[in-house]
Amino acid sequence: MGIFRIVAALCVMLVVASCGPPSKFRTYRGPEVTQVLVSKSERKMWMLHHNKVLKSYDIALGFAPEGHKQFEGDGKTPEGLYYIDRRNPNSRFHLSVGISYPNPADKAFAKSMGKEPGGDIFIHGKTGFNGDNKGDWTWGCIAVTDREMEDIYAMLRDGTPIFIKP
């Protein structure tokens, strides 16, 4: 009887331990994402394998979404060809992947105007935002739901091109 109680207690402890919060880190086993396409005017983002759409997302943008990001604090989301260049598993916004803004042309333009180009542009989740998460609210980033960000984080690799069109 004593051994039965010990085994039963261990089983209960294992079940309780496995009931923790689910991991935000997912596994992706599908086709490689070869490019990301963003349409600011449609508020959509697509993960593509060559020309085939793997997944599409509704997005939020910078709080001043019209036009290309040029300066620090302008609230605009960049436009043009960039690359996924880093990953942040400890993002204030759940998870995030970095976009290579500013590129050399962005830096040169801002400098010619006597300003800074800004930076830290990411695709990220919504946790950490204290507002209502509706409309365009970021400082120039691309926002999706936290659950969607978990999939995106698993799907994207550094070096993946991202084309952001107006």
Side-chain angles (χ1 to χ4, degrees):
M1 277 294 217
I3 196 92
F4 176 75
R5 286 184 180 166
I6 291 171
V7 170
L10 286 174
C11 287
V12 168
M13 289 188 330
L14 285 172
V15 167
V16 170
S18 69
C19 291
S23 174
K24 64 183 177 179
F25 300 104
R26 307 219 174 264
T27 302
Y28 175 69
R29 291 188 177 91
E32 174 189 12
V33 176
T34 58
Q35 59 185 318
V36 179
L37 177 62
V38 174
S39 172
K40 290 171 55 174
S41 63
E42 295 177 65
R43 303 300 190 276
K44 290 292 237 181
M45 178 171 64
W46 297 273
M47 301 292 145
L48 303 169
H49 176 73
H50 302 295
N51 292 326
K52 180 183 177 196
V53 174
L54 301 173
K55 197 82 169 159
S56 67
Y57 302 95
D58 294 324
I59 59 172
L61 300 170
F63 63 83
E66 299 298 318
H68 173 59
K69 181 166 191 61
Q70 296 177 319
F71 309 117
E72 184 173 37
D74 65 8
K76 296 180 183 295
T77 301
E79 295 172 358
L81 177 62
Y82 295 93
Y83 297 89
I84 301 303
D85 67 352
R86 61 201 182 279
R87 302 160 68 71
N88 184 357
N90 300 312
S91 172
R92 174 179 160 210
F93 298 100
H94 192 59
L95 291 170
S96 62
V97 292
I99 297 172
S100 62
Y101 176 89
N103 63 28
D106 296 321
K107 290 176 187 175
F109 178 77
K111 184 177 180 182
S112 76
M113 302 301 286
K115 297 185 176 189
E116 294 295 321
D120 285 337
I121 302 298
F122 289 86
I123 302 169
H124 60 65
K126 293 184 176 181
T127 297
F129 177 64
N130 294 325
D132 63 9
N133 284 326
K134 293 182 179 157
D136 295 318
W137 57 270
T138 76
W139 282 89
C141 296
I142 298 167
V144 295
T145 68
D146 289 351
R147 179 63 181 89
E148 290 169 336
M149 191 60 225
E150 291 170 4
D151 291 338
I152 293 166
Y153 192 88
M155 293 173 82
L156 290 181
R157 298 290 166 250
D158 288 0
T160 304
I162 178 169
F163 183 70
I164 306 168
K165 63 181 193 165

